[in-house]
């Protein structure tokens, strides 16, 4: 198969400010990144609000099971909406999932701010708002992971997809500093209402810009709208040049791959589950969730105040200040990881990082145990815990570009929505479990709970070593060949006459297959 990296394209000869098509495409991608900023802001907000005395009073001092339910309710509601969003994404288009997210964030944020009003059940109202937000969050995660893979220019797809989660960290940075300023220095209920209502303008931006975002070219091709698909590629990947060689290559490759999948009825569950390679795709999507949710990160992300309470760091200003600095640090780590991903494969990154997570969990257990068993507390143990939290999250965030981009890119077009449905279902189940059970376990056994995650981290490393397939350097259509080998044969596209294929395509395809086997 022809190496697409060498095919000439408008991006190769134009400055970024001259490439109007790419600039328009970046505007469309901004809705994904603003959505992820909002996701990160919202996801980090509640853990910081737990340090607010006013928030605790307005919600009736939730702890244990009640606090766990408050954090888990979003995952529970997100589990319910998954199949509906999959149907919508496959039949109506990718934009509806993003639009729904904007509405739920707007409504859920307003409802949440009503908590604590005189005569109202503050806890019940806040949990209801979190449930509504959870509906939209699952919708956005499933849809945005598809869109960022399907509309991005092939030259930059890997980098853009890998940076997807870094915007979550940026949102957490904003949340941390807003919490630091409000929770640390305001004593009234506005100490938590101001941070919460800040979500509204983000949601409004999403609702406005989504009206201008076109459908992805692969979706258009699957619906028989070939002219629209080609027009998209010409305008946004070829800067308006209908004869652009890479655009013609992309179009023919997408068209042929979708033709093969539709002929095989590859979108049907019965077809998907009969194929070993497709089952492996679904298994790898689930494995990425297992690595994300069950490696101990949920303890620090959702209950960092409890983590610090265990070693005597109880002052709200100190806790929110540490979180603010930590958020900036983890964002930097993830940006560095995106750059490293240009040179190092996905599988190798995970294999290097996971041993550091295990060592960090051991260290956190030891430092917390030393403090708990000291007669008057041990300030050195507290300092060690803060350092180990930074080390753990620094390395963990180095893995996030892989953990979040890999599930979508390994799916074929016809099963991408269903693959993300499996990813979302497993993610919401594990998310609900960890956020709920973590609160109960930390309340019951404290620092000893770290031990539960240690063998899981070892199991995860073994699964990555034996099960994960490397995808670095391929287009989405070529990744299908890596998984399916001789079961899928895409044509090698000639870059000269549009729509024609170069001679000897069968030999070239076989050669590439042999290289991947």
């Amino acid at each position: 198969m022809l190496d697409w990296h060498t095919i000439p394209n408008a991006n190769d000869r134009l400055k970024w400010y001259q490439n109007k098509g790419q600039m328009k495409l970046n505007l469309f991608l901004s809705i994904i990144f603003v959505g992820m900023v909002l996701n990160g802001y919202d996801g980090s907000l509640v853990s910081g609000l737990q340090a607010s005395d006013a928030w605790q009073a307005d919600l009736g001092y939730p702890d244990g099971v009640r606090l766990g339910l408050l954090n888990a309710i979003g995952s529970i509601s997100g589990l319910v909406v998954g199949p509906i969003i999959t149907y919508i994404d496959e039949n109506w288009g990718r934009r509806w999932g993003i639009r729904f997210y904007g509405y739920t964030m707007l409504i859920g944020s307003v409802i949440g701010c009503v908590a604590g009003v005189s005569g109202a059940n503050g806890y019940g109202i806040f949990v209801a708002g979190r449930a509504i937000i959870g509906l939209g969050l699952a919708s956005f995660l499933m849809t945005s992971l598809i869109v960022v893979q399907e509309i991005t220019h092939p030259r930059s797809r890997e980098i853009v997809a890998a940076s997807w989660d870094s915007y979550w960290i940026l949102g957490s940075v904003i949340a941390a500093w807003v919490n630091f300023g409000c929770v640390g220095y305001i004593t009234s209920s506005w100490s938590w209402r101001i941070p919460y209502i800040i979500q509204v303008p983000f949601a409004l931006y999403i609702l406005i810009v989504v009206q201008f975002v076109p459908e992805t070219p692969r979706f258009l091709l699957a619906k028989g709208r070939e002219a629209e698909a080609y027009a998209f590629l010409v305008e946004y990947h070829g800067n308006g040049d209908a004869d652009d060689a890479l655009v013609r290559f992309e179009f023919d490759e997408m068209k042929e791959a979708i033709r093969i999948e539709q002929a095989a009825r590859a979108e049907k569950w019965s077809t998907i589950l009969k194929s070993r390679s497709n089952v492996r795709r679904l298994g790898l999507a689930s494995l990425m969730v297992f690595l994300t949710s069950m490696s101990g990160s949920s303890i620090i992300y959702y209950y960092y105040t409890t983590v610090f309470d265990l070693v005597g760091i109880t002052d709200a200003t100190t806790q929110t200040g540490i979180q603010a600095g930590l958020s900036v640090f983890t964002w930097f780590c993830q940006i560095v990881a995106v750059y490293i991903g240009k040179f190092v494969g996905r599988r190798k990154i995970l294999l290097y990082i996971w041993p550091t997570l295990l060592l960090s969990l051991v260290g956190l257990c030891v430092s917390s145990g030393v403090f708990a068993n000291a007669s008057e507390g041990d300030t050195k143990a507290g300092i060690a815990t803060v350092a180990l939290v930074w080390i753990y999250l620094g390395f963990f965030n180095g893995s996030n570009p892989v953990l979040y981009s890999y599930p979508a890119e390994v799916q074929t077009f016809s099963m991408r929505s269903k693959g993300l449905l499996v990813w979302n279902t497993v993610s919401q189940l594990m998310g609900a479990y960890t956020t709920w059970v973590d609160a109960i376990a930390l309340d019951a056994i404290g620092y000893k709970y770290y031990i539960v995650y240690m063998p899981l981290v070892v199991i995860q490393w073994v699964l990555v070593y034996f099960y994960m397939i490397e995808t670095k350097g391929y287009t989405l259509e070529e990744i299908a060949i890596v998984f399916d080998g001789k079961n899928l044969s895409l044509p090698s596209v000639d870059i000269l006459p549009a729509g024609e294929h170069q001679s000897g395509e069968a030999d070239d395809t076989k050669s590439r297959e042999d290289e991947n086997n």
Side-chain angles (χ1 to χ4, degrees):
M1 179 174 288
L2 183 65
D3 185 0
W4 65 271
H5 297 86
T6 64
I7 301 176
N9 176 247
N11 277 14
D12 303 331
R13 59 182 182 273
L14 296 174
K15 301 289 186 181
W16 67 269
Y17 54 83
Q18 296 174 319
N19 195 336
K20 296 181 180 179
Q22 184 66 51
M23 292 177 69
K24 291 178 184 177
L25 186 61
N26 290 341
L27 173 64
F28 301 148
L29 287 170
S30 74
I31 195 173
I32 303 297
F33 299 137
V34 169
M36 280 305 293
V37 169
L38 179 55
N39 177 12
Y41 181 88
D42 176 78
S44 303
L45 196 59
V46 175
S47 61
L49 295 183
Q50 293 172 37
S52 167
D53 292 335
W55 182 85
Q56 295 282 356
D58 287 340
L59 270 66
Y61 299 95
D63 60 0
V65 175
R66 294 175 76 235
L67 180 60
L69 176 62
L70 186 151
N71 280 316
I73 191 64
S75 296
I76 296 171
S77 61
L79 180 65
V80 173
V81 81
I84 300 172
I85 295 303
T86 296
Y87 178 84
I88 292 173
D89 280 349
E90 289 185 340
N91 294 279
W92 296 358
R94 316 305 203 189
R95 292 180 297 179
W96 286 97
I98 298 173
R99 184 179 286 116
F100 180 65
Y101 173 62
Y103 282 122
T104 57
M105 287 301 303
L106 185 63
I107 296 169
S109 297
V110 172
I111 289 177
C113 285
V114 177
V117 172
S118 178
N121 182 337
Y123 176 80
I125 292 174
F126 196 83
V127 168
R130 298 306 302 168
I132 293 172
I133 288 174
L135 292 171
L137 178 58
S139 170
F140 175 78
L141 292 177
M142 293 172 62
T143 305
S144 65
L145 281 169
I146 295 172
V147 172
V148 78
Q149 294 282 354
E150 292 188 357
I151 72 171
T152 309
H153 193 285
R155 293 274 202 266
S156 56
R157 182 190 64 81
E158 290 184 314
I159 292 295
V160 172
S163 67
W164 179 84
D165 189 60
S166 68
Y167 292 90
W168 191 99
I169 301 298
L170 182 58
S172 74
V173 170
I174 298 172
W177 286 102
V178 169
N179 273 335
F180 178 69
C182 294
V183 174
Y185 296 97
I186 300 175
T187 57
S188 69
S189 293
W190 287 107
S191 65
W192 68 266
R193 286 202 177 103
I194 290 175
Y196 216 67
I197 205 68
I198 285 175
Q199 298 183 127
V200 169
F202 287 96
L204 290 174
Y205 176 85
I206 291 170
L207 288 173
I208 293 171
V209 177
V210 73
Q211 309 302 324
F212 305 98
V213 177
E215 286 298 343
T216 75
R218 290 173 177 84
F219 175 84
L220 294 171
L221 280 169
K223 297 303 178 183
R225 296 155 63 180
E226 295 183 9
E228 293 178 61
Y230 192 72
F232 177 100
L233 295 172
V234 168
E235 182 169 1
Y236 303 117
H237 291 190
N239 196 39
D241 183 2
D243 296 320
D244 186 272
L246 185 58
V247 165
R248 294 202 302 272
F249 173 85
E250 283 189 274
F251 180 77
D252 281 356
E253 186 181 51
M254 292 177 192
K255 182 179 177 180
E256 183 66 6
I258 291 173
R259 182 193 67 77
I260 293 172
E261 291 175 22
Q262 289 180 335
R265 300 179 66 83
E267 76 283 358
K268 301 293 184 182
W269 276 114
S270 57
T271 304
I272 292 171
L273 297 178
K274 287 179 183 177
S275 168
R276 290 182 62 185
S277 59
N278 286 343
V279 171
R280 186 168 190 170
R281 288 181 173 98
L282 299 179
L284 285 168
S286 301
L287 176 60
M288 295 302 106
V289 178
F290 182 38
L291 268 65
T292 304
S293 302
M294 302 294 289
S295 56
S297 62
S298 57
I299 299 177
I300 302 172
Y301 273 127
Y302 288 96
Y303 303 107
Y304 81 92
T305 56
T306 303
V307 171
F308 292 143
D309 286 344
L310 290 172
V311 291
I313 302 173
T314 58
D315 178 66
T317 302
T318 303
Q319 289 184 346
T320 54
I322 292 173
Q323 188 202 25
L326 179 60
S327 297
V328 175
F329 172 70
T330 53
W331 182 68
F332 173 78
C333 290
Q334 197 158 143
I335 294 299
V336 171
V338 170
Y339 179 77
I340 291 174
K342 294 171 61 178
F343 310 101
V344 182
R346 286 98 158 103
R347 179 174 171 274
K348 188 175 292 186
I349 287 174
L350 297 183
L351 291 175
Y352 283 153
I353 286 177
W354 244 241
T356 67
L357 302 188
L358 177 62
L359 294 175
S360 298
L361 287 173
V362 172
L364 284 167
C365 187
V366 171
S367 63
S368 300
V370 168
F371 181 89
N373 292 289
S375 57
E376 297 180 0
D378 189 329
T379 57
K380 292 182 179 179
I383 295 172
T385 297
V386 172
L388 286 164
V389 165
W390 282 55
I391 292 170
Y392 177 95
L393 286 185
F395 280 102
F396 178 76
N397 278 276
S399 70
N400 281 3
V402 176
L403 296 178
Y404 287 102
S405 64
Y406 193 80
E409 75 174 5
V410 298
Q411 314 299 326
T412 64
F413 170 80
S414 296
M415 65 176 291
R416 188 161 290 128
S417 292
K418 290 183 173 67
L420 268 295
L421 171 62
V422 171
W423 174 85
N424 176 71
T425 301
V426 178
S427 179
Q428 301 302 339
L429 284 171
M430 287 190 179
Y433 171 82
T434 55
T435 51
W436 199 342
V437 173
D438 283 355
I440 299 171
L442 287 169
D443 190 47
I445 61 176
Y447 71 89
K448 297 175 185 177
Y449 187 49
Y450 292 121
I451 299 173
V452 173
Y453 284 102
M454 294 177 192
L456 295 180
V457 170
V458 175
I459 293 170
Q460 289 162 359
W461 188 92
V462 173
L463 289 173
V464 169
Y465 184 84
F466 288 105
Y467 195 59
M468 189 172 175
I469 293 177
E470 185 56 63
T471 58
K472 182 180 180 297
Y474 297 101
T475 66
L476 293 178
E477 283 68 33
E478 288 172 342
I479 290 173
I481 299 177
V482 176
F483 275 80
D484 294 308
K486 296 178 181 180
N487 295 324
L488 178 64
S489 180
L490 295 182
S492 180
V493 181
D494 191 345
I495 67 170
L496 296 177
E500 296 182 10
H501 306 297
Q502 73 184 80
S503 61
E505 64 181 43
D507 292 339
D508 288 343
T509 303
K510 183 178 185 303
S511 175
R512 184 61 174 269
E513 290 170 357
D514 292 340
E515 179 183 333
N516 292 321
N517 290 335

